[in-house]
Amino acid sequence: MILKILFGAYMLLVIAAAFLYAPPALGLGEISRIIYFHVPLAWVGVLAYLVSMVNSIRYLKRPLAEYDFRAAINAEIGLVFTLLATVTGAIFARGTWGVYWNWDPRQTSIFVLLLIYGAYLVLRSSLEDGEKRARLAAVYSIVAFISVPFLVFIIPRLYVTLHPDPIINQSGQLQMNARMMQVFLASLLGFTGIYWWIYSLQVRLYKVVERLEGQK
Amino acid sequence: MGKSCSLWVSRLAALLKKDLLEEFRTRYAINALLMFAVTALVMVSFAVGVNTLSATLHAALLWIILFFASMSGLGRSFVKEEEKNTAPALRLAAPAEVVYVGKLVFNFLIMLVLAALILLLYLFLLNPPLGSPALLVLVIFLGVAGLSGATTILAAIVARAANQGTLLPVLSFPVLLPLLITAINATRVAIEGGGVGDVSQGLLFLVAYGVIIITASLLLFDFVWSD
Amino acid sequence: MIVILQVEQLSKSYNRRIIFEGISFTMEPGDRLVVTGPNGSGKSTLLKIICGLLQPSSGTVHLSNGSKKMDLAERKQCCGYASPEVNLYDRLTAYENLSFFAALRGLPPCRERMVELLKRLQLKEYMHQPLCSYSSGMKQRVKLACALLHEPCLLLLDEPSCNLDEQGRRALEELLNLRPLHGITIIATNETEEVEKFGQKLLSLGVPPGGAA
């Protein structure tokens, strides 16, 4: 209990610091404060996918229903975080480049991640509960993962040449001063903590339900 | 070793012969796909009218048609086995890898025929400039190989799920996106008249993508295929 | 090949619903077993698990050739299996179906054997017509031919006489009697006539626990 209150206070502090403590980035203005939320959200979106895929591999090695649950719940959490990252990213893009969407490499990558999550969940919903669903979803999660490094490798190469927009590169490497870095890292830690909290709560809930069903 | 290898090949040949024979008798895939391709191409051709398109647009249109044609055609080979309940007999009689490779080769052949037809019709109806025809054929060949490689295992997944009609494109798109982007780019270069040197990286990428996706499919196929 | 089949503590459940539990038996070369039981007692499921199409929830199935235990892939290969739930290819003729499965199983070309099987099942005149022109009884005969084609050391027949007329049943009986002496045969059926005729050993599956039949 005490831990949760402390954590809540910590997150409030991070949010307040993002608006009050950190200075706005040079040349980007107040809109740059969104990176304290946008980047951690995107990071969690990717992290959740990795955790989901690792659990998919574990399931294929040893078919325990719990691994399947872990893979599925990470996809659901990851979808929410990725969606928020996409929206905050679009707002950021509007503020810096003037348009919400321009298929910048980063936007494309996050969009594909969103599509993979969506496809994974659609696949799950069109299968009946059970081993078969777990196996097929796990295989899809692994096959879809193969395309991620290709995207990271290929899209910047092709699209930087098509859109030689210097702002894109600049915004990729924001010059951060010490205060900004502190807030940024604190926020990264905080959002990862939120993710971990949601995840472990879900796993606990799952285990309780399993035990109750087992007793019946 | 030599004996088991030749046994493997003869099994593969039997499976391929069976699929081709079935396809030849029903002509389902090729008819449906051909009609789809014609419809799509005529629509594009009407929409374009007398305007001339840029090389980028030509490349994009060609691959959009190829992508959706493969989505409506390649799913069939597994769906048919599941729908008609012939899959269990196949599961008992042949090892999973043979089934995967057999279906992959079959899908690749179908797509190759289809791509050739689509390309000819496209040239006929839309009259794009043809800078380097040999490069264009090479790009389409490699692209279709990767497309069939990725779609085969996804089609096997889809065949075991409900709402099969819409599921395949949904599942395939994120997986195929790197391939499509590269293929469209290389096709654009080919239409503009570039040489192999201009797209060597893209071609290498297409080969790598195909090899990796097929290797992964071989490793994972048994999980999809067996109960 | 001479084999022994050992089934130990086999159970299967779908999403917590138990189909059957704790089934154990051993079959020596030449044994015949008839599995009976009400609908939903898991006869078909048991056969599918034995041939390797389904995985049991717990327990093991072992097929051993002398002292060597076969793995799942080998077990699938040496089974003959026919069931109303499994179809052959509609667009191919009976002969093409048989030669396809023969080639897939890696058998040497065996035209005589195929023609003889089809003849015994009264299908010789129709063997070059596609299965979609067949009646359901004729399709059932082709399925039987397909299951027997490679002289399997383990033959599993689910409702073998389904859709068969009197003549077909006689042909089935004849074919079963022609099986190699060391072959193991398991038949799932509820027809009393077959139980009496083939049931050297009998296994009755009960009503599934917790589920109404």
Side-chain angles (χ1 to χ4, degrees):
Chain A
M1 190 62 201
I2 189 86
L3 222 64
K4 290 174 193 168
I5 293 171
L6 275 178
F7 187 65
Y10 174 79
M11 279 316 287
L12 281 177
L13 205 69
V14 167
I15 294 168
F19 285 103
L20 303 172
Y21 176 71
L26 271 179
L28 287 173
E30 297 296 331
I31 187 81
S32 70
R33 295 184 191 285
I34 206 166
I35 63 159
Y36 305 117
F37 308 103
H38 170 64
V39 179
L41 285 168
W43 150 250
V44 171
V46 175
L47 179 69
Y49 185 51
L50 276 178
V51 176
S52 171
M53 203 206 47
V54 167
N55 277 295
S56 298
I57 295 174
R58 278 164 90 190
Y59 181 87
L60 291 185
K61 283 194 165 172
R62 193 152 168 258
L64 291 182
E66 188 190 321
Y67 294 150
D68 179 47
F69 172 79
R70 283 172 185 265
I73 200 69
N74 266 294
E76 282 174 32
I77 301 170
L79 179 69
V80 175
F81 276 88
T82 310
L83 203 60
L84 289 174
T86 314
V87 173
T88 49
I91 296 171
F92 191 25
R94 170 80 192 185
T96 49
W97 311 325
V99 284
Y100 286 111
W101 203 261
N102 72 346
W103 294 113
D104 154 78
R106 264 159 243 280
Q107 283 185 325
T108 311
S109 323
I110 200 108
F111 182 69
V112 172
L113 191 60
L114 207 57
L115 281 180
I116 294 178
Y117 275 134
Y120 176 84
L121 293 172
V122 168
L123 175 64
R124 290 190 74 90
S125 69
S126 56
L127 285 160
E128 276 168 45
D129 218 356
E131 273 171 68
K132 195 164 90 178
R133 179 174 80 177
R135 255 193 347 253
L136 296 181
V139 170
Y140 181 68
S141 161
I142 296 167
V143 172
F145 182 75
I146 293 172
S147 76
V148 174
F150 278 112
L151 275 173
V152 171
F153 173 77
I154 203 77
I155 289 187
R157 259 158 214 271
L158 288 175
Y159 278 71
V160 169
T161 57
L162 292 178
H163 301 277
D165 193 347
I167 299 173
I168 295 176
N169 293 329
Q170 224 176 46
S171 76
Q173 311 146 351
L174 280 172
Q175 300 294 312
M176 288 205 187
N177 65 23
R179 276 187 166 199
M180 290 168 76
M181 207 59 179
Q182 285 161 16
V183 179
F184 179 71
L185 290 179
S187 172
L188 212 55
L189 191 70
F191 276 95
T192 311
I194 293 184
Y195 155 72
W196 200 256
W197 192 5
I198 299 175
Y199 178 31
S200 51
L201 267 182
Q202 291 284 356
V203 172
R204 265 172 65 198
L205 187 66
Y206 170 80
K207 285 186 173 160
V208 169
V209 171
E210 279 293 286
R211 235 195 357 258
L212 286 177
E213 297 241 324
Q215 278 170 5
K216 247 192 287 184
Chain B
M1 187 62 210
K3 195 176 167 236
S4 72
C5 193
S6 75
L7 178 63
W8 203 88
V9 171
S10 71
R11 286 172 154 173
L12 186 65
L15 189 64
L16 206 57
K17 186 180 154 205
K18 187 272 297 177
D19 273 334
L20 288 173
L21 203 59
E22 269 192 304
E23 176 56 34
F24 182 69
R25 299 228 168 113
T26 57
R27 293 189 195 86
Y28 172 84
I30 214 71
N31 276 347
L33 289 181
L34 200 59
M35 279 320 290
F36 174 86
V38 170
T39 316
L41 279 164
V42 168
M43 239 161 82
V44 169
S45 170
F46 271 129
V48 171
V50 290
N51 301 319
T52 38
L53 299 178
S54 66
T56 315
L57 268 181
H58 276 304
L61 283 174
L62 187 60
W63 278 98
I64 289 173
I65 295 170
L66 279 173
F67 172 74
F68 281 104
S70 69
M71 288 304 107
S72 50
L74 298 191
R76 263 320 277 179
S77 59
F78 279 109
V79 170
K80 193 179 61 195
E81 304 272 2
E82 297 287 345
E83 254 176 18
K84 302 211 161 169
N85 283 327
T86 50
L90 211 51
R91 278 187 197 116
L92 280 181
E97 317 88 68
V98 172
V99 176
Y100 173 74
V101 177
K103 295 288 183 190
L104 173 67
V105 174
F106 176 70
N107 280 345
F108 180 57
L109 290 179
I110 293 265
M111 269 317 282
L112 221 47
V113 172
L114 193 71
L117 287 171
I118 288 179
L119 187 61
L120 287 178
L121 276 171
Y122 194 94
L123 294 179
F124 177 71
L125 286 171
L126 285 135
N127 203 24
L130 257 188
S132 16
L135 181 61
L136 183 66
V137 170
L138 181 64
V139 168
I140 290 184
F141 181 85
L142 291 178
V144 161
L147 196 70
S148 334
T151 315
T152 302
I153 188 148
L154 296 175
I157 293 178
V158 168
R160 316 209 70 194
N163 67 345
Q164 291 159 344
T166 48
L167 203 52
L168 188 59
V170 170
L171 295 190
S172 304
F173 185 64
V175 180
L176 286 173
L177 195 62
L179 174 108
L180 291 174
I181 292 175
T182 317
I184 289 173
N185 194 48
T187 307
R188 175 184 59 84
V189 174
I191 290 175
E192 283 170 349
V196 176
D198 299 315
V199 285
S200 58
Q201 225 176 28
L203 294 178
L204 200 66
F205 174 86
L206 288 179
V207 173
Y209 179 91
V211 169
I212 292 178
I213 208 98
I214 290 171
T215 314
S217 302
L218 270 173
L219 292 174
L220 293 169
F221 183 69
D222 195 36
F223 292 110
V224 178
W225 179 241
S226 306
D227 271 310
Chain C
M1 208 185 328
I2 297 175
V3 294
I4 292 175
L5 174 72
Q6 283 168 302
V7 174
E8 273 162 35
Q9 288 300 322
L10 209 61
S11 60
K12 179 73 183 171
S13 49
Y14 281 115
N15 299 329
R16 298 176 194 281
R17 193 175 77 87
I18 297 166
I19 312 283
F20 52 71
E21 271 184 313
I23 292 182
S24 305
F25 58 85
T26 303
M27 293 185 76
E28 307 277 337
D31 276 357
R32 258 187 210 174
L33 175 76
V34 170
V35 184
T36 59
N39 297 146
S41 59
K43 300 187 293 291
S44 302
T45 308
L46 178 64
L47 258 54
K48 280 186 200 161
I49 291 175
I50 292 175
C51 71
L53 276 179
L54 280 181
Q55 291 304 308
S57 303
S58 66
T60 53
V61 176
H62 281 306
L63 197 61
S64 37
N65 173 15
S67 57
K68 195 179 142 282
K69 274 183 183 164
M70 293 183 190
D71 64 19
L72 185 64
E74 287 172 309
R75 196 166 90 216
K76 281 184 186 171
Q77 285 284 306
C78 69
C79 278
Y81 174 70
S83 152
E85 293 170 39
V86 179
N87 293 329
L88 300 176
Y89 295 94
D90 255 0
R91 291 288 174 164
L92 305 187
T93 66
Y95 184 76
E96 283 164 344
N97 263 298
L98 291 187
S99 42
F100 167 59
F101 280 103
L104 212 52
R105 287 179 182 281
L107 302 184
C110 45
R111 199 190 141 80
E112 293 79 30
R113 164 123 182 106
M114 291 190 267
V115 174
E116 199 224 84
L117 264 176
L118 291 172
K119 198 167 154 189
R120 284 192 182 275
L121 288 157
Q122 290 101 32
L123 287 171
K124 194 161 179 282
E125 303 89 272
Y126 310 100
M127 70 183 207
H128 291 301
Q129 285 170 22
L131 292 200
C132 50
S133 67
Y134 281 27
S135 73
S136 33
M138 288 160 78
K139 282 185 193 161
Q140 176 64 17
R141 292 178 198 207
V142 186
K143 283 186 204 172
L144 293 173
C146 199
L148 286 160
L149 183 63
H150 52 299
E151 304 233 359
C153 46
L154 174 59
L155 178 66
L156 302 158
L157 299 175
D158 195 353
E159 315 263 354
S161 56
C162 119
N163 290 324
L164 286 188
D165 56 14
E166 211 34 60
Q167 207 182 21
R169 283 166 200 238
R170 268 203 303 280
L172 169 66
E173 193 186 339
E174 220 177 279
L175 282 171
L176 286 178
N177 289 331
L178 277 172
R179 292 255 301 140
L181 285 175
H182 55 266
I184 297 175
T185 311
I186 303 180
I187 298 173
T189 183
N190 273 332
E191 307 228 356
T192 32
E193 192 192 332
E194 273 172 27
V195 177
E196 282 163 15
K197 221 184 288 172
F198 305 125
Q200 183 197 60
K201 284 185 174 180
L202 197 66
L203 173 72
S204 354
L205 297 175
V207 180

